[in-house]
Amino acid sequence: MRAFVAATLLLVGCSESSPARVDTRRELLKGLGEQVFLPNYVEFEEDAAAIEATVAALCEDPTEETLAAVRDAWWASRAPWKRNETVAFGPYEPPDAFGSSIDFWPCRPDSVTVVLDGTEPIDSSLLGAAAKGLPPIEYLLYEPDVDVVAESASGSRRCEYLATLSGALASDATGIRRAWDPAEGDFLGELVNAGRGSSEYDSIEMALGDVINRLVYDVEAARNAKLGAPLGNRTEGVPQPGVAESQFSGRSLEDVRDTVRGVEQVCFGADVEDAQSLARYLKGIKRGDLVSALEVAFAASHDALDAIPEPLATAIVEDPASVQAAIDAIGEIQRLIQADVINAMGLMLTFTDADGD
Amino acid sequence: MATDLVATLRRRLERRVDARGLAAFRILFGLTMALATLRFVLNGWVSELLVAPTYHFTYLGFEWIRPLSHSAMLLVFGAMGLAALSLSLGLFTRVAAAIFFLLFSYAELIDQATYLNHYYLASLLALLLVFVPSESAWSLDAWRRARAGRAPSASVPELAYFVLRAQMAVVYLFAGLAKLDADWLFRAEPLTTWLRSRVESPLLVGLVAEPWVPFAMSWGGALFDLFVVPLLIVRRTRPFAFALAAFFHLTIWLLFPVGVFSFVMLLAITVFFDPSWPARLVGRLVTVSPFTPEPSPRSVRPLAFAMVAAYVAVQVLVPLRFAAYPGTVNWTEQGFRFAWRVMLVEKAGKVEFDVTTESPAARFRVYPREELTPLQLRQMATQPDMIEQYAHHLRQRFDARGYRNVQVRADAWVAFNGRRSQRLIDPAMDLASTERSLAAKSWIMPLESVSRSELLARE
């Protein structure tokens, strides 16, 4: 219908036709997908495979060295995974639900203990979200007051559980990579072809809206859930280390940094030739002022995060001001994206999916 | 002199004219509203927009309006759709119009976040159909009367057309006056921003990159809104005006997500046509009886004139209320709603709340995303009265949790029509202590102008 009316109006209003133009926002989404999102998932898939391999080595020969290798692999896997929280939609969410399968947090130690204390063979397909994925692996590797090497050597269920979880994690990591991969599930194609046959997105605004809104959500989650909640912002100022992400490994702050780095990747692009980025798009529409402001905001956020003494569990008690300063600094990134960038990109006209004004 | 003028006007408005123009409007309006109701339901908006939110932004004076359960709301929309169809068929026409008006307005009043100008217009047109005799022709009511041996009147007083024309004139006039604004005319905002994102539109192929295009559309849009009604009133320019309106509204529909708004406007301007236009149109296909004025027309009661005068006065005064408030209306939004300020703003905002309590002494940062839907969050972030309303809600929430002396401050930033984000609300103001009212809100921060250095910095 719209196409018919458009054609009619074109005949009325134009004397000659012009070649079709490609929306640079489509190029932006394609570039981000190929240069940022997909490479992050490829890296995560490799890291998940490394976890599986090192877990096998640990269980075969439990030593401090093999344990360190698993911990290193787990630690490394967090970086691309947290960076790609910027695309925690699509395959991340149900029905695929790779997100909750891979990273249901904060960790619920009780859910892990139930499995450890059980007697039935461990079947990953029967485990709930709280009992599988990266957080339970962390707990099994870093459980307080437990000698993981000794316990692994004793033939306890810890190794069986770790092996099951790492295998499922590797499978999920491959699953989410394949779901995005243009050669397979091609969710990237759904984004890029929004409004042009995409079954997920009726318009480029909806696709871009998902990406930009997710950036805002990530930044707010970093402030509210990852820093604010442990600081006690929801509990009258009483610190809550138990709600921190990656609390057992002491990676809480690095997780926040990786979340911020993920947002930064979308804003400034990957370190590749001809990188697509929000900054490039903003400069193209003569909003270089926002790019400069974002650079300042990210630098200030990194400085503020680096100023928090490790680990976060200690900092929220001994130096809460530094944590609050980081929350405020990251808030500046949020303001710039949520207000200025969205306004500059004209993404606010929609009422729902269809109506406005 | 004035008395003569009033008498002349009265005679003119009492003149009997063909009822079929009014009937065509009724049929088209009823059908469009029935389809709009169906679309609302099929899109899942009954649940998403009206039932699912756990908190609703109410209208001042209508705080008592609450959504029903999902199934009951579906019944409401079912009844609304049937009423619209009944209105279109002219079956129990005025009752159907009244039911549609009440149910549609009820749905509209549930949550301020869902406010749309064209919903408000639909409510007003439905209200007018309660009072104008649109069932006089081409209706099941007229057919039933004829079968009962009561000859239906094929004519209506011109007053019936006048009130609908006045309504549409108010919409266009105030939409045009609102565009006499520096952002619209001299910065071509928000069209510059919006058109940039329509680069793939077949309508704008090759044109969107031209900097003059948003300016041409801005000025053209303002001129259209200001002058379309006079052009529609004058018989000689009417065909041109309608063609222009069709081009304008269909272009808007193609470029922007305005739902059924374009079609409501196009069908509504048919009230400016010669009242016999539907008969002439249909007469090309089948034989229709020509309109013959009744020899001894009934006079229109003075009460009807008084009601129309009062209605038009209200419709003129409500959009003008912004003048009673300080500041830029498009920024403060005091006097913005119900004023036909259409397509004027592109805003995005971020708002969080600091809640402090004295007993026990505590401080909380509240992120409204945890409670509000994305639409509510987006709307509240840029509208001071909604921010105030939510602050009151937070005060009540913390009161209920046993905290005393709750204070709520908003950290609210808004980017407006391409400006850098600015504070919208005075961060020192305790919004928990304010009273909801129509009075000017002194705690809204003034809009800072765009400086030349800021514009240069963008390069």
Side-chain angles (χ1 to χ4, degrees), chain B residues 142-366:
Chain B
W143 178 75
R144 286 189 305 138
R145 271 204 304 272
R147 273 176 61 95
R150 289 179 286 148
S153 171
S155 70
V156 294
E158 188 148 2
L159 182 66
Y161 285 92
F162 171 81
V163 67
L164 288 164
R165 289 169 183 166
Q167 176 62 72
M168 295 310 296
V170 163
V171 173
Y172 278 114
L173 179 66
F174 281 104
L177 290 174
K179 290 181 174 69
L180 302 181
D181 168 83
D183 273 7
W184 184 267
L185 296 176
F186 304 121
R187 296 180 60 230
E189 286 290 358
L191 279 181
T192 299
T193 299
W194 290 345
L195 290 181
R196 193 187 300 127
S197 63
R198 297 295 181 272
V199 69
E200 292 178 349
S201 167
L203 204 60
L204 291 169
V205 167
L207 286 178
V208 78
E210 303 292 337
W212 58 267
V213 171
F215 281 92
M217 289 183 69
S218 292
W219 283 75
L223 291 171
F224 169 80
D225 282 341
L226 286 170
F227 294 107
V228 68
V229 169
L231 292 173
L232 282 165
I233 289 171
V234 177
R235 183 184 296 268
R236 285 179 58 189
T237 55
R238 194 174 296 149
F240 165 71
F242 184 69
L244 199 62
F247 182 82
F248 178 85
H249 286 300
L250 290 176
T251 303
I252 295 289
W253 177 65
L254 283 166
L255 290 177
F256 305 116
V258 293
V260 297
F261 177 66
S262 294
F263 301 102
V264 172
M265 295 302 283
L266 278 177
L267 75 89
I269 61 175
T270 62
V271 298
F272 287 97
F273 295 178
D274 183 301
S276 294
W277 76 268
R280 281 202 300 276
L281 189 69
V282 176
R284 293 179 183 176
L285 303 173
V286 293
T287 306
V288 291
S289 56
F291 172 67
T292 47
E294 290 165 56
S296 53
R298 291 160 289 171
S299 61
V300 177
R301 283 175 293 177
L303 179 63
F305 282 109
M307 286 173 66
V308 168
Y311 179 84
V312 174
V314 169
Q315 288 303 314
V316 169
L317 289 174
V318 168
L320 285 175
R321 73 190 189 282
F322 78 91
Y325 296 108
T328 307
V329 57
N330 291 347
W331 171 252
T332 67
E333 303 221 4
Q334 293 190 105
F336 189 88
R337 293 186 205 97
F338 311 109
W340 316 116
R341 308 188 72 86
V342 188
M343 309 284 284
L344 288 175
V345 294
E346 168 71 19
K347 284 183 180 177
K350 166 182 171 278
V351 59
E352 292 165 8
F353 295 87
D354 275 319
V355 177
T356 53
T357 61
E358 279 185 20
S359 172
R363 183 182 172 193
F364 303 85
R365 163 83 28 158
V366 176

Side-chain angles (χ1 to χ4, degrees), chain A residues 103-121:
Chain A
D103 193 16
F104 184 86
W105 72 275
C107 183
R108 311 280 199 275
D110 289 349
S111 301
V112 180
T113 306
V114 164
V115 180
L116 273 181
D117 293 345
T119 54
E120 295 293 314

